[in-house]
Amino acid sequence: MRKIAAVGLVVVVGGVCGCAKKPDLSSPAGTMATFDQAMKGAKFSQAAECFAFDTQGARDSTDWSTYSESQRKLIIGKLREEKANALTSAGATYTSKGYQVGNASESGNQATVELKTGAGYTVTVRMAREKDAWRIESLPGF
């Protein structure tokens, strides 16, 4: 009985301490910070989760809204896998630029965030709100 209680306490404490921290996609800057950390940590699948695949599907397919939820999830899963592979190839380039998340600007369900380098180079990232999360719609070069 004590072993079960001790294991339960460890699980509760582990959950409270934030060891399984969820990515912050609640703001454009939070999404970019999550993406930036994932790229710098070579976690390319996690970085790919920051992209607006539902928005992309609706933009690229005239009948996106007629697809069932399970069909959309399958398509989004394939797009996410392809993006993770592309990000894997671009990981060294991204890291070498030393990007820092800059200013964010929101307007309704759209936003932009700047990624800046120490050399003064800036990339403007377009963001879209999907349900309850901000996601990357366009990131030039990646």
Side-chain angles (χ1 to χ4, degrees):
M1 185 69 167
R2 286 185 183 174
K3 286 182 183 180
I4 293 173
V7 170
L9 181 60
V10 169
V11 170
V12 169
V13 170
V16 171
C17 79
C19 296
K21 186 178 176 186
K22 276 185 79 175
D24 176 15
L25 306 179
S26 64
S27 70
T31 299
M32 284 312 303
T34 297
F35 174 80
D36 185 62
Q37 291 171 355
M39 288 297 288
K40 290 175 179 172
K43 297 177 181 177
F44 304 113
S45 292
Q46 183 181 348
E49 290 178 20
C50 295
F51 282 81
F53 297 115
D54 195 44
T55 299
Q56 178 185 343
R59 182 187 62 230
D60 295 347
S61 175
T62 57
D63 55 353
W64 184 253
S65 62
T66 65
Y67 295 163
S68 70
E69 184 71 23
S70 61
Q71 286 175 310
R72 281 183 275 175
K73 284 182 178 180
L74 286 172
I75 293 167
I76 288 170
K78 179 72 172 156
L79 292 171
R80 187 175 291 132
E81 182 180 317
E82 289 171 0
K83 179 57 82 175
N85 289 336
L87 293 173
T88 299
S89 298
T93 300
Y94 183 89
T95 303
S96 71
K97 298 225 185 241
Y99 286 113
Q100 298 293 318
V101 178
N103 297 325
S105 175
E106 289 182 44
S107 179
N109 288 328
Q110 299 292 311
T112 58
V113 178
E114 295 177 337
L115 279 180
K116 298 180 177 189
T117 67
Y121 179 69
T122 301
V123 173
T124 301
V125 182
R126 288 186 318 159
M127 310 284 289
R129 181 182 280 281
E130 287 189 350
K131 299 177 186 164
D132 60 346
W134 283 96
R135 302 205 182 261
I136 300 167
E137 186 174 0
S138 170
L139 174 57
F142 299 95

